């Protein structure tokens, strides 16, 4: 009985002093565990007079319960204390400014393309797309660029195999649309094109073009001129003039390159237009009769015009960006400015 009292009071003292859950666990093992002091004491039972055993057993059990209760109270106390310390340490300052979510921004190319599409759709054009991985047939053959044609070397092509390549021009979509045979045609076809070019301020192995194609009865060069003059005004301002310079493309005849008057200096000549007053923006022409024929359209009945422009070129001009590489780096600090 004296030992039991000793165990109880020693336990109460140790529990009261315990500062952590690990200490409490040690105390529990030492006293209540299989080899613990109280468990050992219980083993004395067999040496006692039979009439004393129930009483002693009861006393040990109630001591065990009491110690368990004290342990639990101590655990609660320690947990509460830990929580208080935590709350004290983690003060939330509700006056701090909120973290702003990083929201993306439309790319200058997307902005320019949106505007170009809006203008053409307003003139009754449909926006269509073609595949980036394309047959040589659509990219070259049906556009009057047969094998061994010098124009084929001008556009350094990424070939996938002998017949399949990464398209070098969105003109490939022209052949696909005409071949479908649904006339009249009035489409633009924006998309990515690929050429084996070195990267510099004005070149990239992958860039974007916008193709235009109109095929109907009685389409003339005057329609082409009127259309492009109107587009130039809408994109670069009411006072913009256009100039057609004779050129050669295999799939158009006659062909032209088109310059717009410099919207920066109004044509007087500045750093922007390299002193000439004019900025080249696209290639165009009347669809070559042979191309119409190869795509199943009767050139005696139908005529058409086509044009192709570089989207990056328009973005760089419109937003006065002087290095094409900026358009591909996607630095949000740059993109946010437009
Ligand atoms: N495909 C030509 C190029 O990539 C651009 C072009 C010129 C497209 C004249 C046309 C066109 O549709 O008529 O350089």
């Amino acid at each position: 009985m004296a030992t039991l009292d000793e165990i109880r009071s020693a336990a109460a003292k140790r529990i009261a002093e315990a500062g952590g859950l690990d200490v409490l666990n040690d105390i529990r093992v030492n006293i209540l565990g299989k080899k613990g002091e109280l468990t050992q004491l219980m083993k004395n039972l067999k040496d006692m007079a039979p009439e004393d055993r129930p009483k002693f057993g009861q006393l040990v059990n109630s001591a065990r319960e009491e110690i368990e209760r004290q342990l639990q109270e101590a655990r609660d106390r320690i947990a509460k204390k830990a929580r208080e310390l935590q709350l004290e340490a983690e003060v939330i300052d509700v006056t701090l400014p909120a973290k702003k979510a990083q929201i993306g921004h439309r790319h200058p190319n997307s902005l320019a393309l949106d505007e170009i599409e809006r203008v053409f759709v307003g003139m009754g054009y449909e926006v269509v797309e073609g595949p980036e991985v394309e047959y040589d047939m659509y990219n070259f053959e049906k556009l009057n660029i047969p094998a061994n044609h010098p124009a084929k070397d001008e556009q350094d092509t990424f070939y996938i195999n002998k017949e399949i390549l990464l398209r070098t021009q969105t003109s490939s979509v022209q052949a696909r649309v005409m071949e479908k045979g649904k006339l009249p045609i009035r489409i633009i076809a924006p998309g990515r094109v690929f050429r084996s070019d070195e990267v510099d301020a004005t070149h990239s192995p992958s860039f974007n073009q916008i193709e235009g194609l109109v095929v109907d009865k009685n389409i003339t060069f005057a329609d082409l001129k009127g259309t492009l003059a109107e587009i130039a005004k809408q994109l670069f301002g009411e006072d913009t003039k256009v100039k057609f310079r004779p050129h050669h493309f295999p799939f158009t005849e006659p062909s032209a390159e088109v310059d717009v008057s410099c919207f920066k200096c109004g044509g007087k000549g500045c750093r922007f237009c390299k002193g000439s007053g004019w900025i080249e923006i696209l290639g165009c022409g009347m669809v070559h009769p042979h191309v119409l024929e190869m795509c199943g359209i009767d050139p005696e009945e139908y005529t058409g015009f086509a044009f192709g422009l570089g989207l990056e070129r328009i973005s760089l001009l419109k937003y006065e960006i002087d290095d094409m590489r900026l358009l591909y780096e996607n630095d949000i600090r740059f993109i946010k400015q437009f």
Side-chain angles (χ1 to χ4, degrees):
M1 290 292 273
T3 316
L4 183 60
D5 275 345
E6 257 169 50
I7 293 174
R8 280 172 55 181
S9 57
K13 189 161 176 276
R14 285 172 67 193
I15 292 171
E17 284 167 0
L21 293 176
D22 48 345
V23 181
L24 286 176
N25 197 44
D26 288 347
I27 297 172
R28 187 184 59 76
V29 172
N30 286 344
I31 301 172
L32 308 177
K34 255 192 202 152
K35 288 181 185 154
E37 293 166 18
L38 215 55
T39 318
Q40 294 297 342
L41 198 63
M42 212 49 168
K43 287 181 182 157
N44 294 341
L45 217 55
K46 61 181 188 310
D47 304 328
M48 285 187 171
E51 64 273 20
D52 291 338
R53 286 180 195 170
K55 178 110 198 298
F56 186 70
Q58 240 177 22
L59 284 172
V60 173
N61 276 340
S62 74
R64 171 180 286 275
E65 279 165 25
E66 187 189 325
I67 292 168
E68 268 169 1
R69 186 177 45 73
Q70 286 169 348
L71 281 169
Q72 190 52 48
E73 280 169 8
R75 279 189 209 105
D76 293 346
R77 165 172 58 78
I78 287 169
K80 192 169 167 225
K81 181 86 191 158
R83 180 91 183 120
E84 273 164 14
L85 285 174
Q86 187 192 10
L87 286 177
E88 237 168 83
E90 290 176 7
V91 193
I92 295 170
D93 183 352
V94 292
T95 66
L96 281 175
K99 265 198 199 136
K100 271 202 193 144
Q102 271 274 11
I103 297 173
H105 189 86
R106 307 214 65 196
H107 192 278
N109 274 355
S110 305
L111 295 171
L113 178 58
D114 267 6
E115 193 171 341
I116 294 166
E117 286 186 353
R118 183 180 54 74
V119 174
F120 278 106
V121 167
M123 293 170 93
Y125 284 66
E126 193 186 335
V127 181
V128 304
E129 277 180 22
E132 291 171 2
V133 178
E134 185 56 286
Y135 290 103
D136 180 288
M137 181 178 66
Y138 291 117
N139 195 80
F140 290 127
E141 204 88 6
K142 288 199 178 225
L143 296 172
N144 226 8
I145 312 172
N148 306 322
H149 192 288
K152 234 171 152 165
D153 305 331
E154 272 165 35
Q155 303 184 351
D156 282 326
T157 311
F158 290 116
Y159 278 93
I160 298 204
N161 60 33
K162 256 176 79 83
E163 283 119 53
I164 299 174
L165 42 75
L166 297 183
R167 68 177 175 193
T168 61
Q169 48 185 0
T170 45
S171 304
S172 56
V173 186
Q174 285 191 32
R176 283 182 171 272
V177 172
M178 283 190 272
E179 206 181 56
K180 283 198 180 131
K182 247 187 77 194
L183 293 158
I185 293 165
R186 196 175 284 120
I187 59 111
I188 56 167
R192 195 179 272 273
V193 301
F194 305 86
R195 289 180 199 182
S196 169
D197 276 334
E198 295 287 337
V199 174
D200 65 25
T202 53
H203 290 88
S204 160
S206 165
F207 56 101
N208 291 272
Q209 287 189 328
I210 302 163
E211 196 74 14
L213 175 68
V214 171
V215 179
D216 202 348
K217 290 175 179 163
N218 304 315
I219 297 290
T220 68
F221 204 94
D223 296 311
L224 173 60
K225 283 180 80 175
T227 303
L228 294 181
E230 182 57 30
I231 298 299
K233 282 184 186 173
Q234 299 240 16
L235 288 181
F236 297 111
E238 223 6 76
D239 297 329
T240 309
K241 290 192 268 299
V242 286
K243 179 165 79 174
F244 286 68
R245 278 182 290 105
H247 200 77
H248 172 263
F249 296 105
F251 34 89
T252 41
E253 180 58 35
S255 304
E257 274 187 337
V258 173
D259 300 341
V260 291
S261 54
C262 180
F263 50 88
K264 200 78 208 249
C265 64
K268 287 196 282 293
C270 66
R271 190 183 65 88
F272 219 64
C273 54
K274 299 194 181 77
S276 75
W278 295 94
I279 300 171
E280 181 199 322
I281 60 158
L282 58 80
C284 66
M286 299 305 292
V287 182
H288 198 296
H290 191 217
V291 170
L292 289 171
E293 220 163 42
M294 279 190 286
C295 296
I297 295 172
D298 181 359
E300 297 296 330
E301 198 181 350
Y302 285 95
T303 49
F305 66 74
F307 56 88
L309 57 108
L311 177 59
E312 278 80 358
R313 199 164 162 69
I314 304 292
S315 320
L316 296 180
L317 287 173
K318 265 189 86 69
Y319 303 114
E320 300 182 24
I321 302 163
D322 56 13
D323 191 325
M324 194 173 179
R325 284 167 288 201
L326 289 165
L327 292 177
Y328 301 120
E329 281 164 4
N330 285 332
D331 186 330
I332 191 75
R333 292 167 303 178
F334 166 75
I335 293 173
K336 262 191 179 155
Q337 298 171 44
F338 306 99

